[in-house]
Amino acid sequence: MAAPNRKTETHSKAGLKVTLLATTDLHAHLTQYDYFHDRPDPSRGLDALAPTISKLRGAFPNVLLLDNGDTIQGTPLGDVAASEDEPHPMITAMNALGYDAMGLGNHDFNYGLDFARQIAQSANFPVIVSNVTEIDSHDTFQKSVILKRQFTDTMGNPHDVSIGLIGFVPPQILKWDRAHLCGRVSVSDIAATAAQLAKTLKAEGADIVVALCHSGLDRTGNDPSGENAAYAVAAIPQIDAMIFGHTHQIFPHPAVAKSETLPALDHYRGRIHGRGAVQPKFWGYGLGILHLTLAQSQDRWRVMASHGAHYMLRPQAHPKPPEQPIHNRVLQHIRSPIGTTHTRLHSYFSMLGSCQIGTLLAHAQQDAAKRYLAEHIGVSDLPLLAAVAPYKAGGRAGPLHYIDIPKGDLLRKHTAEICLYPNSLEVVEVTGADLRDWLERSAACFAQIKDQPSDLIDPQAMSYNFDTIYGLEYEINLAKPARYDGTGLLRDPKASRVEAITYRGRPIDDEMRFLVATNSYRAGGGGHFDAPARGRACLVMHNAPAVENILADYITRNAPLRIAAETPWRFTPLGGRVAMFETGRGAQDLTQDAQDRGLIYQGQSSQGFSKFKITL
Ligand code: MG
Ligand code: MN
């Protein structure tokens, strides 16, 4: 696509340098403390970024500080804050830092619409969500705003500049948080809404329009689901700059510039379709910095040049001890004892069929589902299965993003880590055909293994989208192509690699009916799982318990825990074909477990993952 046609004639003597500093996907990383492991963490968080924010404010003449959403959920601090009536500590910190505006992300709706509204009301800056309409017309969120700022040009003269801001969340929030949002909000397409609003803002006098896009770059350049629309938003002529997020990647990323396949992405200057664009690093590991050079042309300030870059945090030797009053309450919460375990619980091999944590979570979900169904719906004679994914098992968050709980006391920090997201329990009724499709979607997390050794896991796949269905037995045949691609988009409806599916030793047929205890994200179709969303929702409770609370309760009632890991599925033997499996650094001393699974340790990868050879 061609670069935007901008008039280059300029009538101003001096240019105006405007710098956008941006955070995205902070996920409640506020303090320099890791609440999952109960120890100081100097590597990330808004507190850690604060000195840099004030330094950069001093270094550049005209600065806007922006946040791009997924801000209030992601650590036990977020969970504790959501259970209290206090001002939200993330917003308190952002008020103190003088944020100019924020957009919301999908996870900011995880604690409900009313909680998201409280967030917006407690912010001293506009909270913008352009593609969400509140049906009961509260209008708490702003669809757009024009910030009027007096900026100083390069000669030191003041000028009034109007900056239009718009913000977007993936329309899929209606599926992912349907229990909270269904019937209360409507959501429109990101790119279409952006095009319309940007035009309106320009007509209303905005000099420039900046999009806060909580939506990522889709590698095909055109995500048909509309979840990742950043590429399309950057192509809109009236949009001058974009902060984007959601996918937990970074842009620009000069290291991948040479292998970039999308021609409109300029990783050297930080531009998409010629416009300045930045995806800052998640969890407060860094700041996005977007420099815009404005010049006056035809009575309006226009962007003449832009440059996008990152500031990446260097871990400090002496992290600042958290001063927020909530810190002690979070410590108290994560240290609450709930039970004990006789074995080390880890997620290093959770993608390989047999997993203690998966078994434990499946039993907790089934047990609670049985009780709630009996209480609210009546006893059913349909088989009750459970779908469970390893939420924390590698991926973009790196070789340390695994669960590894030593044997001994189990505390709330452990259940927080096992569940990670505040999803609630739901039960869906599906057919045998739906189950087959559900498993095909999961099995797309693996690559097709041919004669040459290759990576086992599809590089686009996310472990939290690998559901194992407990209660069934089946095989996954990696000689065959997957029905879906690694992101979950349908590739070939006829492809099938999940075989020999049985329930209690008997093959399942398409018409059989089952209940599946799952979570609200999956029941709504999250992760491009159409099968559960096609099913009949038979347990969707208002104020349903979070899966994490169900797990903690189960652990307490069954203490001390002795979990015999179930093996619902295996890889179909392929006569010795070989694949490489990468997992967390901590897996290297699990020699016996690795051997039992036919894994041979191959050393560390350049990124710090433990590499194993697996023979199928
Ligand atoms: Mg997100
Ligand atoms: Mn996020």
Side-chain angles (χ1 to χ4, degrees), residues 443-509:
C445 287
F446 298 110
Q448 187 177 3
I449 308 302
K450 301 184 177 161
D451 293 331
Q452 297 298 318
S454 57
D455 286 335
L456 183 72
I457 310 285
D458 183 290
Q460 301 223 69
M462 298 290 163
S463 67
Y464 57 78
N465 282 329
F466 180 65
D467 274 358
T468 289
I469 299 190
Y470 287 81
L472 297 178
E473 291 200 349
Y474 50 98
E475 287 187 0
I476 299 178
N477 186 337
L478 296 188
K480 296 184 171 175
R483 181 176 299 178
Y484 297 91
D485 73 10
T487 70
L489 300 181
L490 187 63
R491 190 152 60 185
D492 176 3
K494 289 200 195 75
S496 171
R497 55 174 24 179
V498 183
E499 302 175 335
I501 311 175
T502 59
Y503 171 70
R504 294 203 170 153
R506 291 178 42 213
I508 66 163
D509 64 50

Side-chain angles (χ1 to χ4, degrees), residues 297-513:
S297 160
Q298 297 168 330
D299 299 328
R300 167 173 284 189
W301 290 98
R302 291 166 199 270
V303 176
M304 309 309 288
S306 70
H307 190 264
H310 300 276
Y311 163 83
M312 292 297 185
L313 200 64
R314 270 205 218 113
Q316 291 136 309
H318 305 287
K320 190 176 132 208
E323 286 163 1
Q324 293 84 349
I326 196 172
H327 175 66
N328 287 323
R329 299 197 294 274
V330 183
L331 291 184
Q332 207 181 349
H333 171 73
I334 61 167
R335 292 170 183 171
S336 327
I338 48 174
T340 53
T341 172
H342 278 277
T343 51
R344 173 178 172 187
L345 298 174
H346 64 81
S347 66
Y348 297 121
F349 301 134
S350 293
M351 301 290 286
L352 299 181
S354 139
C355 170
Q356 282 185 313
I357 294 174
T359 305
L360 169 66
L361 196 50
H363 288 178
Q365 286 180 193
Q366 273 169 316
D367 177 75
K370 205 183 286 174
R371 284 185 289 116
Y372 287 117
L373 285 169
E375 193 180 321
H376 297 276
I377 316 284
V379 180
S380 168
D381 48 14
L382 294 179
L384 177 61
L385 313 173
V388 164
Y391 302 106
K392 192 173 178 184
R396 285 169 197 150
L400 300 178
H401 191 67
Y402 289 82
I403 297 168
D404 194 344
I405 303 168
K407 67 177 177 188
D409 289 341
L410 282 169
L411 312 176
R412 272 312 281 253
K413 66 177 181 181
H414 297 128
T415 51
E417 195 179 21
I418 290 172
C419 293
L420 272 192
Y421 308 99
N423 298 318
S424 54
L425 179 75
E426 291 196 19
V427 179
V428 293
E429 183 184 325
V430 294
T431 63
D434 291 330
L435 280 181
R436 236 177 254 288
D437 191 50
W438 191 328
L439 292 173
E440 290 291 348
R441 164 65 190 96
S442 280
C445 287
F446 298 110
Q448 187 177 3
I449 308 302
K450 301 184 177 161
D451 293 331
Q452 297 298 318
S454 57
D455 286 335
L456 183 72
I457 310 285
D458 183 290
Q460 301 223 69
M462 298 290 163
S463 67
Y464 57 78
N465 282 329
F466 180 65
D467 274 358
T468 289
I469 299 190
Y470 287 81
L472 297 178
E473 291 200 349
Y474 50 98
E475 287 187 0
I476 299 178
N477 186 337
L478 296 188
K480 296 184 171 175
R483 181 176 299 178
Y484 297 91
D485 73 10
T487 70
L489 300 181
L490 187 63
R491 190 152 60 185
D492 176 3
K494 289 200 195 75
S496 171
R497 55 174 24 179
V498 183
E499 302 175 335
I501 311 175
T502 59
Y503 171 70
R504 294 203 170 153
R506 291 178 42 213
I508 66 163
D509 64 50
D510 284 356
E511 286 74 38
M512 283 170 78
R513 303 196 77 84

Side-chain angles (χ1 to χ4, degrees), residues 25 27 70 105-107 170 214 246 248:
D25 298 274
H27 283 287
D70 273 8
N106 48 304
H107 285 292
H214 191 86
H246 182 56
H248 294 207

Side-chain angles (χ1 to χ4, degrees), residues 161-282:
V161 180
S162 298
I163 306 105
L165 285 169
I166 47 181
F168 303 94
V169 287
Q172 285 76 6
I173 60 168
L174 273 182
K175 287 185 184 181
W176 302 336
D177 269 312
R178 68 176 172 176
H180 291 308
L181 301 179
C182 201
R184 301 191 69 194
V185 303
S186 65
V187 190
S188 58
D189 178 77
I190 293 177
T193 313
Q196 196 190 350
L197 277 176
K199 209 185 271 181
T200 308
L201 285 178
K202 284 277 165 84
E204 287 173 355
D207 290 292
I208 63 169
V209 172
V210 179
L212 295 173
C213 188
H214 191 86
S215 177
L217 273 180
D218 163 62
R219 301 310 306 171
T220 65
N222 178 29
D223 172 5
S225 76
E227 178 180 345
N228 288 310
Y231 194 76
V233 170
I236 294 165
Q238 291 81 9
I239 288 179
D240 300 285
M242 177 175 72
I243 307 300
F244 66 106
H246 182 56
T247 49
H248 294 207
Q249 290 167 311
I250 59 164
F251 180 87
H253 195 355
V256 305
K258 287 211 175 77
S259 57
E260 180 55 64
T261 50
L262 294 175
L265 302 192
D266 180 343
H267 284 283
Y268 296 111
R269 291 180 295 184
R271 295 182 193 169
I272 304 178
H273 299 298
R275 279 181 196 81
V278 167
Q279 180 173 19
K281 189 147 182 186
F282 57 93

